[in-house]
Amino acid sequence: MKAKIGILGGTFDPPHHAHLIIANEARIQLGLEKIIFLPNAAPPHKKESGLTSNADRLKMIELAITGNPFFEVDDREMHRTGKSYTYDTMIEMTKEFPNAAFSFIIGGDMVEYLPKWYHINELIKLVNFVGVNRPHYDEGAPYDIEEIEVPALDISSSMLRERLAAGSPIDYYVPNKVSEYIKEHHLYE
């Protein structure tokens, strides 16, 4: 029997409690053995808009998942040059873990963009897509997407960056260790 592994991709800039709750709920509801947080590379133009470095994002994810034996991080996409595609990552991961069945977790807002993903018709053979909270999902979509329900938390990384830039606290939106790291390194100011 194949090991069931969840993948949660994103910029995680910064990682927040909604990310952690989505990962945990997916793990529980789908019976996954673990969740791999897969931070993607920040495009050079995004760094100019106040986003943090790959090293800072990686450290914040590590701090956010500390103590959870079911969570880990894979930073392979951060080391790629040029465009990084989920398809290429999943080709690598299926070769590295031939006895794994991967569930790729996406937010409801991403479901409509799936037809535009690079090599989507090959990618859907490599992973099971899991859509989180998709109330307006069109049942006639061309892809099989497993649904899970997660308590709605209206927290986004962009909202947190705006709060920090305005000098507002983000206590309770992110794990304490992440908040401390942001303060200590003067991120998003």
Side-chain angles (χ1 to χ4, degrees), residues 46-176:
K46 284 205 170 187
K47 287 184 184 162
E48 294 166 11
S49 66
L51 299 188
T52 58
S53 69
N54 286 348
D56 283 327
R57 289 188 302 126
L58 183 61
K59 185 63 179 172
M60 286 188 287
I61 296 167
E62 289 169 347
L63 290 169
I65 66 174
T66 296
N68 189 321
F70 302 108
F71 290 174
E72 61 185 62
V73 64
D74 183 315
D75 65 350
R76 75 181 69 219
E77 289 194 351
M78 292 180 147
H79 301 293
R80 288 208 185 113
T81 53
K83 290 186 178 180
S84 182
Y85 294 106
T86 301
Y87 172 74
D88 296 331
T89 299
M90 294 318 302
I91 287 285
E92 289 176 6
M93 292 181 95
T94 53
K95 285 180 182 171
E96 289 171 33
F97 307 101
N99 293 321
F102 292 100
S103 291
F104 201 93
I105 305 156
I106 57 174
D109 56 332
M110 290 301 298
V111 172
E112 66 185 88
Y113 295 107
L114 277 180
K116 298 176 180 139
W117 283 33
Y118 181 73
H119 286 309
I120 184 62
N121 292 325
E122 293 84 4
L123 181 58
I124 59 173
K125 296 173 187 167
L126 299 175
V127 302
N128 170 44
F129 276 104
V130 176
V132 177
N133 294 349
R134 300 178 304 133
H136 306 295
Y137 171 61
D138 175 11
E139 292 298 333
Y143 308 109
D144 240 357
I145 299 168
E146 191 166 357
E147 292 185 43
I148 62 168
E149 288 295 320
V150 174
L153 284 176
D154 195 13
I155 302 172
S156 69
S157 295
S158 58
M159 180 264 289
L160 297 178
R161 291 191 303 270
E162 288 169 14
R163 286 180 64 90
L164 288 161
S168 298
I170 60 165
D171 300 329
Y172 306 109
Y173 288 100
V174 300
N176 289 340

